[in-house]
Amino acid sequence: MPQARECVCCQEITRVNERTGKDENTSCITDLPSFRNVCLDPGVLDVAYFQYRQEYGEQLPEAANERNRYTAYRQFVRWCWGYLGKEIRVVIPACVVLSVRNSYPDPGQNNTGFRSVGG
């Protein structure tokens, strides 16, 4: 991860760690089948994207992988934190970012990383 604040493990974030439940065999949230279903499944991401468009009226990039990355990050945040509110950001664990990037790669490797509001 390009910034030190992005180098965080899912086990270090209480809200994320709660999603792994009491399953001692799961040390990373990306190992959960529910993570793959909610955050990586292309059909789920399509539906989530259409909901986003309906709610906010914004159209995301046409490139499928870029749109899916953006939607996957939104899905992850909604799954762990619920609704945060406009312009409220949280750092997504490195394992989640890497899983999303591996599933929906950017051919030019132009990933932006974490940006705070206004920056």
Side-chain angles (χ1 to χ4, degrees):
M1 301 283 96
Q3 300 177 44
R5 68 179 169 185
E6 293 176 282
C7 295
V8 62
C9 172
C10 63
Q11 297 298 307
E12 297 176 79
I13 302 173
T14 303
R15 295 298 291 258
V16 177
N17 196 21
E18 290 170 356
R19 280 281 165 202
T20 61
K22 302 296 181 197
D23 184 354
E24 296 175 9
N25 296 322
T26 303
S27 61
C28 181
I29 195 155
T30 61
D31 293 333
L32 294 175
S34 52
F35 169 79
R36 290 185 295 279
N37 294 339
V38 171
C39 302
L40 298 180
D41 183 275
V44 171
L45 295 179
D46 281 345
V47 171
Y49 167 70
F50 293 130
Q51 171 63 35
Y52 175 80
R53 277 191 57 194
Q54 181 179 359
E55 190 171 330
Y56 297 103
E58 295 179 42
Q59 187 163 349
L60 297 176
E62 289 300 317
N65 277 2
E66 184 176 1
R67 185 179 69 227
N68 283 341
R69 280 192 310 276
Y70 180 84
T71 306
Y73 298 139
R74 288 182 57 83
Q75 283 286 96
F76 179 77
V77 170
R78 172 96 19 121
W79 185 48
C80 291
W81 282 273
Y83 179 74
L84 290 177
K86 188 174 183 176
E87 297 185 356
I88 297 174
R89 307 279 167 82
V90 293
V91 174
I92 296 172
C95 53
V96 171
V97 172
L98 293 175
S99 181
V100 170
R101 287 180 182 175
N102 287 335
S103 296
Y104 301 104
D106 179 354
Q109 296 296 309
N110 297 318
N111 299 301
T112 56
F114 181 79
R115 291 182 294 190
S116 26
V117 175

PDB file of all heavy atoms in Angstrom, residues 48-60 70 74 78 83-87:
ATOM      1  N   ALA A  48     -25.720  -3.613  -6.997  1.00  0.00           N
ATOM      2  CA  ALA A  48     -25.309  -2.537  -6.094  1.00  0.00           C
ATOM      3  C   ALA A  48     -25.009  -1.261  -6.876  1.00  0.00           C
ATOM      4  O   ALA A  48     -25.348  -0.157  -6.440  1.00  0.00           O
ATOM      5  CB  ALA A  48     -24.088  -2.960  -5.279  1.00  0.00           C
ATOM      6  N   TYR A  49     -24.399  -1.403  -8.037  1.00  0.00           N
ATOM      7  CA  TYR A  49     -24.103  -0.240  -8.880  1.00  0.00           C
ATOM      8  C   TYR A  49     -25.385   0.435  -9.353  1.00  0.00           C
ATOM      9  O   TYR A  49     -25.514   1.664  -9.295  1.00  0.00           O
ATOM     10  CB  TYR A  49     -23.237  -0.649 -10.075  1.00  0.00           C
ATOM     11  CG  TYR A  49     -23.153   0.417 -11.128  1.00  0.00           C
ATOM     12  CD1 TYR A  49     -22.459   1.598 -10.892  1.00  0.00           C
ATOM     13  CD2 TYR A  49     -23.775   0.257 -12.359  1.00  0.00           C
ATOM     14  CE1 TYR A  49     -22.391   2.590 -11.845  1.00  0.00           C
ATOM     15  CE2 TYR A  49     -23.705   1.247 -13.325  1.00  0.00           C
ATOM     16  CZ  TYR A  49     -23.016   2.420 -13.073  1.00  0.00           C
ATOM     17  OH  TYR A  49     -22.956   3.399 -14.019  1.00  0.00           O
ATOM     18  N   PHE A  50     -26.358  -0.360  -9.786  1.00  0.00           N
ATOM     19  CA  PHE A  50     -27.620   0.222 -10.247  1.00  0.00           C
ATOM     20  C   PHE A  50     -28.347   0.917  -9.098  1.00  0.00           C
ATOM     21  O   PHE A  50     -28.976   1.963  -9.287  1.00  0.00           O
ATOM     22  CB  PHE A  50     -28.499  -0.821 -10.914  1.00  0.00           C
ATOM     23  CG  PHE A  50     -27.921  -1.320 -12.208  1.00  0.00           C
ATOM     24  CD1 PHE A  50     -27.819  -2.675 -12.450  1.00  0.00           C
ATOM     25  CD2 PHE A  50     -27.462  -0.448 -13.175  1.00  0.00           C
ATOM     26  CE1 PHE A  50     -27.266  -3.151 -13.636  1.00  0.00           C
ATOM     27  CE2 PHE A  50     -26.906  -0.897 -14.360  1.00  0.00           C
ATOM     28  CZ  PHE A  50     -26.812  -2.259 -14.588  1.00  0.00           C
ATOM     29  N   GLN A  51     -28.261   0.372  -7.892  1.00  0.00           N
ATOM     30  CA  GLN A  51     -28.844   1.018  -6.713  1.00  0.00           C
ATOM     31  C   GLN A  51     -28.145   2.348  -6.457  1.00  0.00           C
ATOM     32  O   GLN A  51     -28.781   3.357  -6.165  1.00  0.00           O
ATOM     33  CB  GLN A  51     -28.727   0.101  -5.485  1.00  0.00           C
ATOM     34  CG  GLN A  51     -29.107   0.760  -4.176  1.00  0.00           C
ATOM     35  CD  GLN A  51     -30.555   1.208  -4.126  1.00  0.00           C
ATOM     36  OE1 GLN A  51     -31.419   0.552  -4.683  1.00  0.00           O
ATOM     37  NE2 GLN A  51     -30.814   2.320  -3.467  1.00  0.00           N
ATOM     38  N   TYR A  52     -26.828   2.357  -6.570  1.00  0.00           N
ATOM     39  CA  TYR A  52     -26.049   3.581  -6.379  1.00  0.00           C
ATOM     40  C   TYR A  52     -26.474   4.642  -7.385  1.00  0.00           C
ATOM     41  O   TYR A  52     -26.707   5.799  -7.023  1.00  0.00           O
ATOM     42  CB  TYR A  52     -24.557   3.262  -6.527  1.00  0.00           C
ATOM     43  CG  TYR A  52     -23.666   4.479  -6.470  1.00  0.00           C
ATOM     44  CD1 TYR A  52     -23.331   5.055  -5.247  1.00  0.00           C
ATOM     45  CD2 TYR A  52     -23.171   5.048  -7.632  1.00  0.00           C
ATOM     46  CE1 TYR A  52     -22.511   6.165  -5.195  1.00  0.00           C
ATOM     47  CE2 TYR A  52     -22.351   6.158  -7.581  1.00  0.00           C
ATOM     48  CZ  TYR A  52     -22.030   6.722  -6.361  1.00  0.00           C
ATOM     49  OH  TYR A  52     -21.226   7.829  -6.302  1.00  0.00           O
ATOM     50  N   ARG A  53     -26.586   4.246  -8.638  1.00  0.00           N
ATOM     51  CA  ARG A  53     -27.012   5.197  -9.676  1.00  0.00           C
ATOM     52  C   ARG A  53     -28.398   5.738  -9.398  1.00  0.00           C
ATOM     53  O   ARG A  53     -28.666   6.922  -9.585  1.00  0.00           O
ATOM     54  CB  ARG A  53     -26.981   4.534 -11.053  1.00  0.00           C
ATOM     55  CG  ARG A  53     -25.605   4.538 -11.654  1.00  0.00           C
ATOM     56  CD  ARG A  53     -25.598   4.138 -13.092  1.00  0.00           C
ATOM     57  NE  ARG A  53     -26.461   4.975 -13.910  1.00  0.00           N
ATOM     58  CZ  ARG A  53     -26.835   4.671 -15.149  1.00  0.00           C
ATOM     59  NH1 ARG A  53     -26.405   3.556 -15.692  1.00  0.00           N
ATOM     60  NH2 ARG A  53     -27.596   5.456 -15.833  1.00  0.00           N
ATOM     61  N   GLN A  54     -29.308   4.876  -8.981  1.00  0.00           N
ATOM     62  CA  GLN A  54     -30.671   5.303  -8.698  1.00  0.00           C
ATOM     63  C   GLN A  54     -30.692   6.289  -7.523  1.00  0.00           C
ATOM     64  O   GLN A  54     -31.404   7.285  -7.552  1.00  0.00           O
ATOM     65  CB  GLN A  54     -31.548   4.101  -8.376  1.00  0.00           C
ATOM     66  CG  GLN A  54     -32.990   4.458  -8.094  1.00  0.00           C
ATOM     67  CD  GLN A  54     -33.833   3.221  -7.792  1.00  0.00           C
ATOM     68  OE1 GLN A  54     -33.341   2.093  -7.805  1.00  0.00           O
ATOM     69  NE2 GLN A  54     -35.093   3.431  -7.529  1.00  0.00           N
ATOM     70  N   GLU A  55     -29.893   6.000  -6.514  1.00  0.00           N
ATOM     71  CA  GLU A  55     -29.891   6.828  -5.310  1.00  0.00           C
ATOM     72  C   GLU A  55     -29.181   8.160  -5.515  1.00  0.00           C
ATOM     73  O   GLU A  55     -29.634   9.193  -5.046  1.00  0.00           O
ATOM     74  CB  GLU A  55     -29.231   6.057  -4.176  1.00  0.00           C
ATOM     75  CG  GLU A  55     -29.369   6.702  -2.821  1.00  0.00           C
ATOM     76  CD  GLU A  55     -28.891   5.799  -1.702  1.00  0.00           C
ATOM     77  OE1 GLU A  55     -28.982   4.567  -1.829  1.00  0.00           O
ATOM     78  OE2 GLU A  55     -28.421   6.341  -0.690  1.00  0.00           O
ATOM     79  N   TYR A  56     -28.048   8.138  -6.199  1.00  0.00           N
ATOM     80  CA  TYR A  56     -27.226   9.338  -6.324  1.00  0.00           C
ATOM     81  C   TYR A  56     -27.226   9.961  -7.707  1.00  0.00           C
ATOM     82  O   TYR A  56     -26.745  11.078  -7.870  1.00  0.00           O
ATOM     83  CB  TYR A  56     -25.778   9.035  -5.905  1.00  0.00           C
ATOM     84  CG  TYR A  56     -25.671   8.633  -4.466  1.00  0.00           C
ATOM     85  CD1 TYR A  56     -25.507   7.301  -4.112  1.00  0.00           C
ATOM     86  CD2 TYR A  56     -25.754   9.577  -3.453  1.00  0.00           C
ATOM     87  CE1 TYR A  56     -25.413   6.926  -2.783  1.00  0.00           C
ATOM     88  CE2 TYR A  56     -25.670   9.204  -2.118  1.00  0.00           C
ATOM     89  CZ  TYR A  56     -25.504   7.880  -1.797  1.00  0.00           C
ATOM     90  OH  TYR A  56     -25.424   7.508  -0.492  1.00  0.00           O
ATOM     91  N   GLY A  57     -27.694   9.245  -8.704  1.00  0.00           N
ATOM     92  CA  GLY A  57     -27.752   9.780 -10.052  1.00  0.00           C
ATOM     93  C   GLY A  57     -26.409   9.859 -10.751  1.00  0.00           C
ATOM     94  O   GLY A  57     -26.332  10.288 -11.888  1.00  0.00           O
ATOM     95  N   GLU A  58     -25.347   9.457 -10.070  1.00  0.00           N
ATOM     96  CA  GLU A  58     -24.017   9.500 -10.676  1.00  0.00           C
ATOM     97  C   GLU A  58     -23.777   8.244 -11.491  1.00  0.00           C
ATOM     98  O   GLU A  58     -24.199   7.162 -11.121  1.00  0.00           O
ATOM     99  CB  GLU A  58     -22.940   9.577  -9.596  1.00  0.00           C
ATOM    100  CG  GLU A  58     -22.972  10.845  -8.790  1.00  0.00           C
ATOM    101  CD  GLU A  58     -21.891  10.853  -7.728  1.00  0.00           C
ATOM    102  OE1 GLU A  58     -20.757  10.423  -8.035  1.00  0.00           O
ATOM    103  OE2 GLU A  58     -22.184  11.288  -6.614  1.00  0.00           O
ATOM    104  N   GLN A  59     -23.107   8.414 -12.597  1.00  0.00           N
ATOM    105  CA  GLN A  59     -22.731   7.260 -13.387  1.00  0.00           C
ATOM    106  C   GLN A  59     -21.236   7.048 -13.230  1.00  0.00           C
ATOM    107  O   GLN A  59     -20.444   7.965 -13.420  1.00  0.00           O
ATOM    108  CB  GLN A  59     -23.078   7.463 -14.857  1.00  0.00           C
ATOM    109  CG  GLN A  59     -22.856   6.224 -15.664  1.00  0.00           C
ATOM    110  CD  GLN A  59     -23.568   6.297 -16.998  1.00  0.00           C
ATOM    111  OE1 GLN A  59     -24.367   7.154 -17.233  1.00  0.00           O
ATOM    112  NE2 GLN A  59     -23.237   5.369 -17.860  1.00  0.00           N
ATOM    113  N   LEU A  60     -20.879   5.849 -12.849  1.00  0.00           N
ATOM    114  CA  LEU A  60     -19.471   5.511 -12.669  1.00  0.00           C
ATOM    115  C   LEU A  60     -18.845   5.201 -14.022  1.00  0.00           C
ATOM    116  O   LEU A  60     -19.549   5.049 -15.012  1.00  0.00           O
ATOM    117  CB  LEU A  60     -19.350   4.329 -11.712  1.00  0.00           C
ATOM    118  CG  LEU A  60     -19.869   4.592 -10.305  1.00  0.00           C
ATOM    119  CD1 LEU A  60     -19.787   3.329  -9.468  1.00  0.00           C
ATOM    120  CD2 LEU A  60     -19.113   5.717  -9.640  1.00  0.00           C
ATOM    121  N   TYR A  70     -14.756   0.107  -7.587  1.00  0.00           N
ATOM    122  CA  TYR A  70     -15.410   1.164  -6.815  1.00  0.00           C
ATOM    123  C   TYR A  70     -16.616   0.614  -6.059  1.00  0.00           C
ATOM    124  O   TYR A  70     -16.788   0.862  -4.865  1.00  0.00           O
ATOM    125  CB  TYR A  70     -15.842   2.297  -7.758  1.00  0.00           C
ATOM    126  CG  TYR A  70     -16.525   3.431  -7.050  1.00  0.00           C
ATOM    127  CD1 TYR A  70     -15.777   4.438  -6.449  1.00  0.00           C
ATOM    128  CD2 TYR A  70     -17.912   3.499  -6.965  1.00  0.00           C
ATOM    129  CE1 TYR A  70     -16.398   5.481  -5.778  1.00  0.00           C
ATOM    130  CE2 TYR A  70     -18.535   4.540  -6.299  1.00  0.00           C
ATOM    131  CZ  TYR A  70     -17.774   5.525  -5.717  1.00  0.00           C
ATOM    132  OH  TYR A  70     -18.389   6.550  -5.052  1.00  0.00           O
ATOM    133  N   ARG A  74     -17.401   0.088  -1.912  1.00  0.00           N
ATOM    134  CA  ARG A  74     -18.635   0.605  -1.290  1.00  0.00           C
ATOM    135  C   ARG A  74     -19.394  -0.528  -0.605  1.00  0.00           C
ATOM    136  O   ARG A  74     -19.915  -0.351   0.497  1.00  0.00           O
ATOM    137  CB  ARG A  74     -19.529   1.270  -2.339  1.00  0.00           C
ATOM    138  CG  ARG A  74     -19.006   2.593  -2.846  1.00  0.00           C
ATOM    139  CD  ARG A  74     -19.973   3.215  -3.842  1.00  0.00           C
ATOM    140  NE  ARG A  74     -21.294   3.397  -3.267  1.00  0.00           N
ATOM    141  CZ  ARG A  74     -21.660   4.435  -2.514  1.00  0.00           C
ATOM    142  NH1 ARG A  74     -20.792   5.383  -2.247  1.00  0.00           N
ATOM    143  NH2 ARG A  74     -22.879   4.525  -2.037  1.00  0.00           N
ATOM    144  N   ARG A  78     -20.315  -0.744   3.383  1.00  0.00           N
ATOM    145  CA  ARG A  78     -21.718  -0.885   3.796  1.00  0.00           C
ATOM    146  C   ARG A  78     -21.907  -2.159   4.612  1.00  0.00           C
ATOM    147  O   ARG A  78     -22.643  -2.188   5.583  1.00  0.00           O
ATOM    148  CB  ARG A  78     -22.604  -0.883   2.551  1.00  0.00           C
ATOM    149  CG  ARG A  78     -24.028  -1.197   2.765  1.00  0.00           C
ATOM    150  CD  ARG A  78     -25.036  -0.087   2.921  1.00  0.00           C
ATOM    151  NE  ARG A  78     -24.756   1.229   2.492  1.00  0.00           N
ATOM    152  CZ  ARG A  78     -25.465   1.899   1.604  1.00  0.00           C
ATOM    153  NH1 ARG A  78     -26.460   1.324   0.977  1.00  0.00           N
ATOM    154  NH2 ARG A  78     -25.190   3.146   1.328  1.00  0.00           N
ATOM    155  N   TYR A  83     -24.407   2.446   6.861  1.00  0.00           N
ATOM    156  CA  TYR A  83     -24.378   3.739   6.178  1.00  0.00           C
ATOM    157  C   TYR A  83     -23.512   4.706   6.957  1.00  0.00           C
ATOM    158  O   TYR A  83     -23.733   4.921   8.147  1.00  0.00           O
ATOM    159  CB  TYR A  83     -25.806   4.283   6.038  1.00  0.00           C
ATOM    160  CG  TYR A  83     -25.858   5.616   5.359  1.00  0.00           C
ATOM    161  CD1 TYR A  83     -25.647   5.710   3.993  1.00  0.00           C
ATOM    162  CD2 TYR A  83     -26.109   6.771   6.076  1.00  0.00           C
ATOM    163  CE1 TYR A  83     -25.685   6.945   3.360  1.00  0.00           C
ATOM    164  CE2 TYR A  83     -26.154   7.995   5.454  1.00  0.00           C
ATOM    165  CZ  TYR A  83     -25.939   8.077   4.094  1.00  0.00           C
ATOM    166  OH  TYR A  83     -25.969   9.292   3.468  1.00  0.00           O
ATOM    167  N   LEU A  84     -22.520   5.291   6.304  1.00  0.00           N
ATOM    168  CA  LEU A  84     -21.614   6.224   6.970  1.00  0.00           C
ATOM    169  C   LEU A  84     -22.056   7.671   6.829  1.00  0.00           C
ATOM    170  O   LEU A  84     -21.784   8.487   7.687  1.00  0.00           O
ATOM    171  CB  LEU A  84     -20.199   6.093   6.404  1.00  0.00           C
ATOM    172  CG  LEU A  84     -19.440   4.819   6.736  1.00  0.00           C
ATOM    173  CD1 LEU A  84     -18.091   4.829   6.040  1.00  0.00           C
ATOM    174  CD2 LEU A  84     -19.261   4.665   8.224  1.00  0.00           C
ATOM    175  N   GLY A  85     -22.685   8.013   5.749  1.00  0.00           N
ATOM    176  CA  GLY A  85     -23.039   9.396   5.486  1.00  0.00           C
ATOM    177  C   GLY A  85     -22.132   9.979   4.416  1.00  0.00           C
ATOM    178  O   GLY A  85     -21.065   9.461   4.122  1.00  0.00           O
ATOM    179  N   LYS A  86     -22.584  11.064   3.842  1.00  0.00           N
ATOM    180  CA  LYS A  86     -21.852  11.688   2.741  1.00  0.00           C
ATOM    181  C   LYS A  86     -20.482  12.182   3.203  1.00  0.00           C
ATOM    182  O   LYS A  86     -20.355  12.814   4.246  1.00  0.00           O
ATOM    183  CB  LYS A  86     -22.666  12.848   2.181  1.00  0.00           C
ATOM    184  CG  LYS A  86     -22.093  13.446   0.937  1.00  0.00           C
ATOM    185  CD  LYS A  86     -22.998  14.481   0.340  1.00  0.00           C
ATOM    186  CE  LYS A  86     -22.394  14.979  -0.957  1.00  0.00           C
ATOM    187  NZ  LYS A  86     -23.249  15.905  -1.635  1.00  0.00           N
ATOM    188  N   GLU A  87     -19.496  11.899   2.412  1.00  0.00           N
ATOM    189  CA  GLU A  87     -18.119  12.345   2.591  1.00  0.00           C
ATOM    190  C   GLU A  87     -17.453  11.848   3.870  1.00  0.00           C
ATOM    191  O   GLU A  87     -16.460  12.406   4.328  1.00  0.00           O
ATOM    192  CB  GLU A  87     -18.027  13.868   2.491  1.00  0.00           C
ATOM    193  CG  GLU A  87     -18.422  14.384   1.116  1.00  0.00           C
ATOM    194  CD  GLU A  87     -18.222  15.868   0.949  1.00  0.00           C
ATOM    195  OE1 GLU A  87     -17.846  16.554   1.920  1.00  0.00           O
ATOM    196  OE2 GLU A  87     -18.441  16.355  -0.165  1.00  0.00           O
TER     197      GLU A  87
END
